[in-house]
């Protein structure tokens, strides 16, 4: 009982503090400032130095010291609350924004369940014989994992909406309204586009979904989501980017129209927390897309006891179990960061949409396409 | 032990937030309190091994319906001084009567049920209880008619909304 609780706490600390938050906050710098400067042919942040640590005093370290300096600066800024604003909500809102962004990580599998016995590979699956499977690599192995993600991402509207309302400012209110309208619209095509993948894998459990993606079509092509559901991948990527309010879907922030949208009136660490929650959600998009469409922790041809080329019972290249686990977690992290990089590339190279274009794209293009995708997938699954 | 603590937290939370919904003066506060009370209810569902119900509770009520409520409330943007002092009207009288009636019906039925022997013991519950598969199975076999009727009801609602909105243009 106590060890179970300790294990869960350990997993939460590992996922949130060692994976989601560091990558999320590092992205504020490397993605949004360094990568954007490279795209726009600028130098970008390179002035801050870590001169406290001897030997690092002269190195720019791709601008990473800037992100430490920024954090320090945020703490010492004045926390201003506008006149007439709802003080209680204004103080609570940053937590409301951060809560869903972190809680969503509970169902992401970083690796298959740990097997205490021997692993036998059968039909592209690791089967655990003479031992138990222990859930060490996801915080909760929820049966309705994907629905849980949709539920929590639906709740994440509140942070933005209430932030806009509680600021007692016109720009903020418009930003809050835009964000709730946009998130409601894109949730529909987000859920419908994955419905095809749910039909194919026949499960809502994210780990089971990843296990099934280890199947090889024709003995060589991994059955990843992007292979069997290519259209859904693009719709889902677009809809998730709109959900996290990233450019080109950054209507709720709309720098050129409404200052900073729903968080115009937030300063100091409150601003930092809202900003950070957005980045953590962006990392989560990477992790979720990697899980559903890019095979999650699967490395092609790698199974529990080593590399198999084709449906063979013995491994062509045997590997110890710890090496397999390390390779798989590494593959998952790599895929997550790749999708993250892709999102930042899209953000900084595409022009912004107008508000009506965002709505048209969601309701008139994404929704019919994902419905058509669902119907066709249903027919194909029923026939096969 | 842990179960009791969690139950007390969620049950008190659900009651407290529900009371706050009624007491709060500002409609937005009321709406957010209602969302918090949904979360507490979902927690109780999880403790009853009904994870699917819990997730749907959050997905449908907290994630969709209440977001729409808040959206409308924000569009209206009622200030505190615009809210009139509450007066007891006939509608409120009916609401109080209906509320107490429902409360006593449910309380009596729970009291009658807990005394009977038809309770299902916890250890006879199957492993798959409350998961997606058995619920989906039941929905399209035993309960297919109510399920489809609910779908038609929703469709009627959507068509009705379109018809009402069309008149304005």
């Amino acid at each position: 009982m106590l060890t179970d609780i300790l294990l869960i706490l350990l997993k939460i600390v590992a996922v949130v503090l060692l994976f989601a938050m560091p990558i999320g906050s590092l992205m504020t710098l490397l993605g949004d400032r360094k990568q954007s400067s490279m795209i726009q042919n600028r130098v970008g942040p390179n002035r801050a130095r870590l001169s406290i640590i001897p030997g690092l005093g002269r190195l720019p370290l791709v601008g990473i010291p800037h992100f430490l300096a920024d954090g320090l600066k945020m703490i010492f800024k004045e926390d201003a609350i506008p006149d007439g604003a709802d003080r209680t909500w204004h103080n609570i809102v940053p937590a409301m924004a951060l809560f869903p962004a972190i809680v969503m990580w509970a169902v992401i599998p970083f690796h298959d369940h740990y097997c205490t016995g021997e692993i036998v590979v059968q039909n592209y699956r690791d089967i655990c014989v003479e031992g138990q499977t222990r859930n060490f690599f996801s915080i909760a192995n929820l049966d309705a994992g994907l629905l849980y993600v949709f539920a929590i991402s639906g709740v994440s509207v509140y942070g933005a909406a209430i932030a806009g309302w509680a600021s007692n400012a016109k720009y903020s209110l418009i930003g809050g309204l835009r964000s709730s309208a946009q998130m409601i619209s894109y949730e529909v095509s987000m859920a419908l586009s994955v419905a095809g993948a749910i039909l194919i894998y026949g499960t809502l459990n994210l780990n089971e979904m990843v296990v099934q993606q280890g199947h090889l079509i024709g003995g060589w092509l991994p059955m990843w989501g992007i292979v069997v559901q290519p259209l859904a991948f693009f719709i889902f990527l677009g809809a998730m980017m709109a959900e996290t309010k990233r450019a080109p879907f950054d209507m709720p922030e709309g720098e050129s129209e409404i200052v900073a949208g729903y968080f115009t009136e937030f300063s100091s660490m409150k601003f930092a927390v809202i900003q950070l929650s957005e980045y953590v959600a962006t990392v989560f998009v990477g992790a979720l897309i990697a899980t559903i469409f890019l095979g999650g922790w699967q490395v092609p041809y790698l199974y529990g006891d080593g590399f198999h080329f084709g449906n063979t019972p013995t491994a062509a290249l045997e590997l110890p179990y710890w090496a397999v686990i390390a390779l798989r977690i590494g593959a998952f992290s790599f895929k997550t960061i790749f999708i993250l990089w892709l999102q930042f590339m899209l953000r900084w190279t595409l022009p912004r949409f107008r508000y009506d274009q965002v709505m048209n794209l969601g309701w008139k293009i994404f929704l019919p396409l994902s419905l058509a995708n669902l119907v066709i997938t249903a027919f194909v699954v029923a026939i096969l | 032990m842990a179960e009791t603590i969690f139950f007390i937290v969620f049950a008190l939370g659900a009651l407290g937030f529900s009371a706050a919904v009624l007491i709060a003066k500002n409609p937005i506060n009321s709406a957010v309190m209602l969302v918090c009370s949904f979360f507490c209810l979902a927690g109780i569902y999880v403790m009853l091994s009904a994870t699917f119900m819990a997730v749907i509770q959050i997905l449908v009520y907290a994630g969709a319906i209440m977001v729409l409520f808040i959206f409308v409330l924000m569009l209206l943007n009622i200030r505190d001084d615009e809210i009139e002092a509450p007066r007891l009207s006939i509608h409120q009288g009916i609401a109080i009567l209906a509320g107490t009636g429902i409360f006593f019906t449910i309380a009596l039925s729970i009291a009658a049920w807990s005394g009977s022997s038809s309770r299902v013991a916890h250890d006879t519950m199957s492993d798959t209880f409350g998961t997606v598969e058995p619920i989906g199975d039941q929905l399209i076999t035993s309960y297919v008619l109510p399920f489809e009727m609910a779908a038609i009801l929703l469709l009627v609602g959507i068509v009705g909304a379109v018809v009402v909105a069309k008149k304005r243009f």
Side-chain angles (χ1 to χ4, degrees), chain A residues 1 89 96 99 142-144 147-148 150-151 154-155 157-158 161-162 165 168 173 176-177 180-181 184 187 204, chain B residues 2 26 28-29 32-33 35 39 51-52 55-56 58-59 61-63 66-68 70-71 74-75 77 79 131-132:
Chain A
M1 182 68 198
W89 284 120
M96 283 170 78
F99 163 77
L142 212 60
D143 177 64
L147 281 181
Y148 170 85
F150 291 147
V155 171
V157 182
Y158 292 111
I162 304 285
W165 173 79
N168 189 31
L173 188 65
L177 285 173
S180 37
I184 294 172
E187 243 162 55
L204 286 167
Chain B
N26 195 311
I28 294 238
N29 288 0
V32 179
M33 289 305 149
V35 174
F39 266 94
T51 44
F52 181 71
V55 170
I56 291 295
I58 300 291
L59 184 67
Y61 287 103
M66 288 317 290
V67 170
L68 217 59
I70 291 211
F71 187 74
M74 276 169 60
L75 267 182
N77 202 14
R79 303 249 145 249
T131 56
V132 185

Side-chain angles (χ1 to χ4, degrees), chain A residues 329-357:
Chain A
I329 293 177
F332 177 75
S333 311
F334 173 76
K335 286 168 188 172
T336 306
I337 290 170
F338 172 74
I339 294 290
L340 205 53
W341 171 84
L342 190 68
Q343 288 185 69
F344 280 107
M345 275 315 263
L346 290 174
R347 172 181 179 137
W348 287 104
T349 48
L350 289 178
R352 293 176 61 228
F353 287 116
R354 226 170 39 222
Y355 184 68
D356 59 319
Q357 288 171 328

Side-chain angles (χ1 to χ4, degrees), chain A residues 147-207:
Chain A
L147 281 181
Y148 170 85
V149 170
F150 291 147
I152 301 295
S153 87
V155 171
S156 64
V157 182
Y158 292 111
I162 304 285
W165 173 79
S167 297
N168 189 31
K170 295 267 189 301
Y171 291 139
S172 302
L173 188 65
I174 292 173
L177 285 173
R178 279 185 179 188
S179 79
S180 37
Q182 179 173 324
M183 287 167 96
I184 294 172
S185 313
Y186 277 87
E187 243 162 55
V188 183
S189 36
M190 184 179 88
L192 278 175
S193 62
V194 200
I198 298 172
L199 281 180
I200 286 175
Y201 300 123
T203 178
L204 286 167
N205 183 322
L206 286 175
N207 189 49

Side-chain angles (χ1 to χ4, degrees), chain A residues 15-48:
Chain A
V15 170
V16 174
L17 294 184
L18 298 180
F19 193 83
M21 294 295 261
I23 295 185
S25 49
L26 207 59
M27 277 312 124
T28 57
L29 189 100
L30 285 181
D32 247 6
R33 294 177 64 189
K34 204 70 187 177
Q35 194 178 347
S36 71
S37 69
M38 282 154 97
I39 291 168
Q40 295 167 345
N41 210 4
R42 295 184 279 116
V43 180
N46 70 339
R47 290 300 158 131

